[in-house]
Amino acid sequence: MIRTDKLVFEYIRRDEEGNVEGITRAVDDVNLDVRPGQFIAILGHNGSGKSTLAKHFNALLYPTEGDVTVDGMNTRDAEKIWEIRQEAGMIFQNPDNQIIGQVVEEDVGFGPENMGVPTEEIWERVDESLRAVNMLDFRKSSPNHLSGGQKQRVSIAGVIAMHPKCIIMDEPTAMLDPNGRKDVIRAARALNSVEGITVILITHYMEEVIYADKVFVMDKGHVEMQGTPKEIFSQVDKLKELRLGVPQVTLLAHELKKSGLPLPDGILTKEEFVEELKKLKR
Amino acid sequence: MLRDITLGQYYRTESVIHKLDPRVKIVGTFVFLVAIFIVNNVLGYVVAGLFLAMNIKLSNVPVKFIFRGMKSIFFLLMISVVFNLFLTPGEPIFTVWKIKITDEGLKIAIKMAIRLVFLITGSSLMTLTTTPNNLTDGLESLLNPLKLVHVPVHEISMMMSIALRFIPILLEETDKIMKAQMARCADFESGSLINRAKNMVPLLVPLFISAFRRAMDLAMAMEARCYRGGEGRTKMKPLVYCSRDRVAYAVLVLFLIICIVVGRLKF
């Protein structure tokens, strides 16, 4: 679905007169391969290059070196740019800054309008996408009256209405309260499992990645670790080195194991932890 | 509190006028404005007044609500009346010291007052019954012919509707910044006017910075959703005339003809 080959992105820092101060490599030699239908998580602390990487996936940024291919189309190909953006939808961090319409349903219709979809079909798409994120009751509301989580779900509906094959979510929950965060992640997982849309979730919340099929951990523009959540979270010390936390249960299990309890590595959920403890008791 | 701000002055209710196509209402308001300057006699004003009264009745907007907007222009109205009353040369009716009121002056003053009241009432009836969004749509569609002379009609209307969407957000933000500054002892309320204006600077700078940041984010979000200008774009809510709009146009034409005829009568 999405491939990057030796992707490098550099941006030039300039001082106030516009002289070149230096070159920063935000993304350095990244090779990814995302298959259709996968739920991918990209982790990293601030400045690790994860957002820059995400913007390459729908041709908002172009590689300095290397290539990005979306569904067989190279993002350098100027003729394919709108097709790529339709296939790989994007959700941004701030819900206020990505809602264009003054009414929820108008905002959801914005994407299809741009693509030149006929009026009747726009309405069908708006209905089905609002239903998919469970926001149908709010279709006539003004976005200004919604909570952060609801706004973010409207943004997701806006992207689904374009019928993408892949949705890239760039820290969609960073500005939300815990409830809104849960709703958004639930909506993303439903899209992935029910509609079969590939989801790429960029985040720094560990709890959100435990359901992913594959996790990439980024640091200083490199992909430092990759694997299933279990594989990643087994390496608590390495994650700490990269200044990333692990879910509390995982940390607790890790500490217990260090002090002598024979627990397995990479426990991700409370239920799993309870099961393992029960086994020990026997 | 700030989120509930109503823009323009849309009055939410169900009525025939509310349901009319925004284009009809814009054209109608324009016709009405032209008409009240065509008619020049008592009968003409009665016709225009009746037409306006009929529309107000049909719109279901309380009369009180319509005349509330009149308060703000009362001062302007008074000035124009006073100037016309005292400064028009002609046959004096009565003279007190150097001030004289002329027959012509009195007539012009009354006419001016009626015209202004009609003008304000007519145009506020349009904004009261049309959402800002519909208004921009209507304007875009009416101004469409200007595209031929390379006026960026679509872009202008897109800018207008984005501005409308961001006004409440920026207001909320102003409120937030103001509170943050006040918590650090900024003073926005006391001092002379100049001082107060100066104190606004620490409010405006962060507001501008955040507005630019929002604009950049929004531009990127729009691009990510395939926005590429008005070319090849379809409408989710296209403006389509239906029978009630045609009736409204017919009524407008009739009204205009009556006004022209009545305006030519002499008495």
Side-chain angles (χ1 to χ4, degrees):
Chain A
M1 183 69 218
I2 293 181
R3 277 180 63 93
T4 67
D5 286 309
K6 301 200 183 80
L7 173 65
V8 174
F9 181 77
E10 291 172 338
Y11 62 88
I12 299 166
R13 277 178 292 130
R14 290 176 194 275
D15 61 11
E16 281 170 18
E17 274 94 49
N19 302 317
V20 177
E21 250 184 354
I23 293 172
T24 308
R25 234 167 216 232
V27 177
D28 193 4
D29 193 27
V30 169
N31 297 292
L32 288 180
D33 190 7
V34 178
R35 278 189 296 276
Q38 274 187 317
F39 192 116
I40 300 288
I42 299 179
L43 274 175
H45 63 83
N46 294 339
S48 60
K50 56 190 193 305
S51 286
T52 315
L53 177 66
K55 283 177 189 139
H56 280 87
F57 294 158
N58 68 346
L60 287 171
L61 290 176
Y62 303 104
T64 314
E65 288 165 34
D67 284 300
V68 179
T69 17
V70 178
D71 204 16
M73 298 175 281
N74 194 317
T75 56
R76 290 172 191 274
D77 189 348
E79 279 171 22
K80 293 276 168 62
I81 175 167
W82 302 110
E83 224 173 301
I84 290 171
R85 287 190 185 157
Q86 183 257 311
E87 283 200 5
M90 186 132 180
I91 310 280
F92 297 87
Q93 189 182 70
N94 189 333
D96 274 324
N97 297 356
Q98 53 182 319
I99 294 182
I100 293 114
Q102 292 181 64
V103 182
V104 166
E105 56 180 18
E106 277 175 23
D107 183 71
V108 178
F110 180 75
E113 277 183 333
N114 290 334
M115 288 156 55
V117 174
T119 304
E120 276 162 48
E121 203 191 322
I122 295 181
W123 283 96
E124 280 165 26
R125 287 187 180 202
V126 168
D127 277 357
E128 81 187 20
S129 356
L130 281 173
R131 196 170 295 123
V133 295
N134 209 4
M135 287 292 290
L136 206 54
D137 294 343
F138 296 91
R139 58 180 311 159
K140 301 275 181 203
S141 308
S142 150
N144 296 330
H145 291 262
L146 302 179
S147 73
Q150 288 171 332
K151 278 184 223 174
Q152 208 59 300
R153 270 145 68 200
V154 171
S155 309
I156 295 175
V159 170
I160 306 172
M162 295 166 69
H163 288 177
K165 290 186 183 162
C166 171
I167 296 183
I168 300 135
M169 305 174 113
D170 187 1
E171 301 197 45
T173 56
M175 299 179 80
L176 306 182
D177 56 45
N179 276 334
R181 214 182 286 160
K182 258 183 226 156
D183 284 344
V184 169
I185 294 303
R186 200 176 298 139
R189 288 180 61 201
L191 285 182
N192 180 250
S193 55
V194 181
E195 322 260 336
I197 298 173
T198 315
V199 174
I200 299 178
L201 176 69
I202 290 148
T203 183
H204 54 244
Y205 290 111
M206 300 301 135
E207 294 79 12
E208 293 172 1
V209 308
I210 55 177
Y211 304 105
D213 297 318
K214 198 169 180 187
V215 182
F216 294 89
V217 181
M218 286 194 69
D219 188 51
K220 294 183 190 125
H222 297 281
V223 173
E224 284 290 333
M225 301 160 80
Q226 51 178 303
T228 61
K230 242 189 173 45
E231 285 163 15
I232 298 286
F233 288 125
S234 313
Q235 309 170 46
V236 176
D237 295 322
K238 176 98 195 261
L239 283 170
K240 274 190 186 156
E241 229 173 82
L242 298 172
R243 286 180 287 158
L244 288 166
V246 289
Q248 279 177 344
V249 195
T250 317
L251 194 62
L252 178 61
H254 179 74
E255 292 296 330
L256 284 174
K257 192 187 168 196
K258 262 209 281 190
S259 28
L261 275 185
L263 285 165
D265 272 327
I267 289 176
L268 299 175
T269 60
K270 278 179 210 158
E271 291 74 25
E272 214 180 332
F273 184 57
V274 171
E275 281 305 309
E276 292 296 339
L277 282 182
K278 274 184 194 159
K279 268 188 218 161
L280 283 184
K281 216 175 150 193
R282 270 178 229 136
Chain B
M1 175 200 68
L2 273 169
R3 323 172 144 196
D4 285 323
I5 195 157
T6 45
L7 279 170
Q9 36 173 356
Y10 183 64
Y11 184 87
R12 197 179 294 274
T13 182
E14 290 280 311
S15 83
V16 197
I17 304 279
H18 281 75
K19 276 190 205 135
L20 281 182
D21 191 292
R23 287 172 293 185
V24 180
K25 284 187 266 190
I26 296 169
V27 172
T29 310
F30 191 71
V31 166
F32 183 71
L33 297 189
V34 170
I36 55 177
F37 283 92
I38 289 176
V39 296
N40 209 5
N41 50 28
V42 182
L43 189 60
Y45 288 129
V46 170
V47 171
L50 280 177
F51 181 72
L52 191 60
M54 178 189 85
N55 279 317
I56 293 174
K57 183 89 189 89
L58 282 176
S59 72
N60 277 344
V61 180
V63 179
K64 202 172 59 187
F65 211 85
I66 293 171
F67 283 98
R68 201 190 287 170
M70 209 60 90
K71 272 184 209 152
S72 49
I73 61 122
F74 186 72
F75 189 62
L76 192 77
L77 192 73
M78 271 350 266
I79 289 178
S80 93
V81 167
V82 167
F83 269 76
N84 278 310
L85 201 56
F86 296 119
L87 298 176
T88 318
E91 222 29 51
I93 304 176
F94 64 88
T95 321
V96 180
W97 184 49
K98 275 183 184 172
I99 302 165
K100 55 179 184 206
I101 293 177
T102 60
D103 188 30
E104 285 84 351
L106 189 65
K107 272 186 187 157
I108 291 179
I110 292 172
K111 253 183 221 169
M112 215 53 204
I114 293 176
R115 274 178 185 168
L116 270 177
V117 169
F118 279 5
L119 193 137
I120 303 294
T121 323
S123 45
S124 62
L125 188 65
M126 175 177 78
T127 50
L128 280 165
T129 56
T130 324
T131 57
N133 228 359
N134 266 333
L135 220 51
T136 15
D137 275 356
L139 272 177
E140 181 185 356
S141 145
L142 283 174
L143 296 179
N144 233 351
L146 287 182
K147 267 187 190 160
L148 292 176
V149 285
H150 299 290
V151 178
V153 178
H154 166 77
E155 282 74 9
I156 291 171
S157 92
M158 182 54 96
M159 279 192 266
M160 263 164 77
S161 58
I162 288 175
L164 285 172
R165 147 118 181 87
F166 273 85
I167 286 169
I169 293 176
L170 288 179
L171 274 176
E172 214 170 321
E173 185 132 332
T174 317
D175 199 46
K176 222 185 275 172
I177 298 171
M178 216 158 162
K179 292 229 171 81
Q181 309 274 34
M182 270 152 73
R184 287 181 282 160
C185 294
D187 184 5
F188 295 112
E189 266 123 30
S190 59
S192 69
L193 201 64
I194 295 171
N195 249 336
R196 259 193 278 174
K198 267 189 196 156
N199 289 344
M200 282 292 178
V201 174
L203 179 69
L204 289 178
V205 172
L207 190 63
F208 264 87
I209 292 174
S210 107
F212 277 116
R213 190 164 297 144
R214 278 178 196 282
M216 256 152 60
D217 276 5
L218 186 74
M220 190 170 278
M222 285 169 74
E223 247 189 275
R225 282 164 78 181
C226 291
Y227 181 71
R228 55 199 125 158
E231 225 50 47
R233 211 162 174 268
T234 44
K235 286 255 172 200
M236 181 182 179
K237 295 176 176 167
L239 296 174
V240 185
Y241 286 125
C242 59
S243 54
R244 88 169 78 83
D245 301 309
R246 284 182 210 108
V247 172
Y249 270 130
V251 171
L252 273 177
V253 172
L254 198 67
F255 169 70
L256 194 61
I257 292 171
I258 293 176
C259 281
I260 292 169
V261 171
V262 167
R264 287 184 184 275
L265 296 176
K266 285 266 177 250
F267 60 93

